[in-house]
């Protein structure tokens, strides 16, 4: 049996796809071999497949446009899709994004433990509750070792309407965390100077004149 697909051009100009099958028919011993040729119009099948491929490519381009490392999970917590930023981050950290322990096929809730360490219990529960429909969203800020300093990320898990799984995104928030730390340091320095100054200092509101400190 030989099966192949071939594209033909109709006389009015539109393309027609056909599946050709050549099947050998058993004949009596000594008789000449016989074959049957079957032709099936698969134009609609091809159009549907192309439509699905275009839709999938569009969905993936949307995931790639989001500035975060994204994984799509099924109802069992298994990764079924990732965006390009996820793959780039994996490579930058010495991992193969095609490895089923890291990318598509990995059980995210299990691999997450190596990333978050002892603090993985809270996000695991939160993500499971999102997938179970018990909460609309789960958020968590966490630190990740970096080459020069810790990098901060925000993990966000949200449900996918009509699907049992959820979407998990890791947004880098290192600049925000660094700004927060710098602000805390300035506040601590100001407080120390304020308390240790030998001169009397007060802080008051400009409009009301009310003393704040």
């Amino acid at each position: 049996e030989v099966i192949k697909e071939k594209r033909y051009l109709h006389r009015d100009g539109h393309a027609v796809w056909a599946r050709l099958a050549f099947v050998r028919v058993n004949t009596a011993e000594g008789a000449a071999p016989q074959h049957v040729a079957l032709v099936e119009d698969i134009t609609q099948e091809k159009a549907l497949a192309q439509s699905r491929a275009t839709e999938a490519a569009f969905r993936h381009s949307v995931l790639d446009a989001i500035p975060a490392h994204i994984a799509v999970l099924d109802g069992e917590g298994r990764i079924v899709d990732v965006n390009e930023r996820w793959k780039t981050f994996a490579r930058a950290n010495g991992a193969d994004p095609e490895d089923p322990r890291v990318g598509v096929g990995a059980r995210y809730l299990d691999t997450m433990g190596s990333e978050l360490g002892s603090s993985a219990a809270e996000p695991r529960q939160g993500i499971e509750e999102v997938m179970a429909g018990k909460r609309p969203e789960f958020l968590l800020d966490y630190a990740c070792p970096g080459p020069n300093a810790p990098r901060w990320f925000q993990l966000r898990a949200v449900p996918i309407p009509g699907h049992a799984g959820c979407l998990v995104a890791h947004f880098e928030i290192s600049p925000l965390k660094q700004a927060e730390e710098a602000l805390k340091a300035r506040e601590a320095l100001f407080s120390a100077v304020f308390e240790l100054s030998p001169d009397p200092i007060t802080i008051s509101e400009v409009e009301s004149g009310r003393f704040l400190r």
Side-chain angles (χ1 to χ4, degrees):
E1 181 179 357
V2 178
I3 299 177
K4 64 178 182 178
E5 296 177 354
K6 191 172 182 180
R7 180 177 179 271
Y8 295 91
L9 192 64
H10 194 274
R11 62 184 178 183
D12 64 7
H14 74 273
V16 176
W17 280 91
R19 180 178 293 117
L20 310 177
F22 300 91
V23 183
R24 181 171 180 172
V25 180
N26 293 327
T27 57
E29 184 176 352
Q34 296 183 5
H35 296 80
V36 175
L38 304 175
V39 181
E40 179 185 3
D41 186 345
I42 58 171
T43 305
Q44 291 186 349
E45 180 182 323
K46 281 288 186 179
L48 180 59
Q50 181 60 45
S51 176
R52 289 174 175 170
T54 300
E55 183 180 350
F58 174 74
R59 288 199 304 267
H60 211 274
S61 66
V62 171
L63 292 181
D64 287 342
I66 301 174
H69 313 139
I70 294 178
V72 180
L73 311 184
D74 64 13
E76 297 180 354
R78 185 181 292 106
I79 298 176
V80 295
D81 198 5
V82 297
N83 69 347
E84 193 58 38
R85 290 175 187 265
W86 178 284
K87 297 178 181 179
T88 300
F89 186 77
R91 295 189 191 97
N93 287 273
D96 180 2
E98 305 304 326
D99 188 333
R101 296 171 297 179
V102 176
V104 174
R107 289 189 175 275
Y108 178 83
L109 297 177
D110 295 335
T111 60
M112 180 178 59
S114 61
E115 186 173 344
L116 301 178
S118 60
S119 62
E122 179 187 354
R124 184 185 185 96
Q125 179 180 350
I127 293 173
E128 287 176 343
E129 289 177 353
V130 169
M131 292 193 296
K134 295 180 179 179
R135 62 192 302 172
E137 181 181 48
F138 174 75
L139 297 175
L140 176 72
D141 294 350
Y142 68 95
C144 180
N148 301 314
R151 300 172 64 182
W152 281 88
F153 293 88
Q154 182 182 81
L155 183 157
R156 174 173 295 184
V158 294
I160 303 175
H163 296 271
C166 71
L167 183 145
V168 177
H170 297 255
F171 294 89
E172 182 166 5
I173 56 173
S174 297
L176 176 61
K177 285 294 183 179
Q178 291 167 0
E180 290 178 353
E181 292 300 323
L183 179 59
K184 289 179 181 178
R186 287 195 296 270
E187 289 178 344
L189 177 62
F190 173 79
S191 180
V193 172
F194 184 87
E195 297 296 341
L196 297 176
S197 174
D199 300 317
I201 302 175
T202 62
I203 302 176
S204 60
E205 288 184 342
V206 175
E207 296 181 357
S208 65
R210 181 171 64 89
F211 287 108
L212 301 177
R213 191 167 181 179

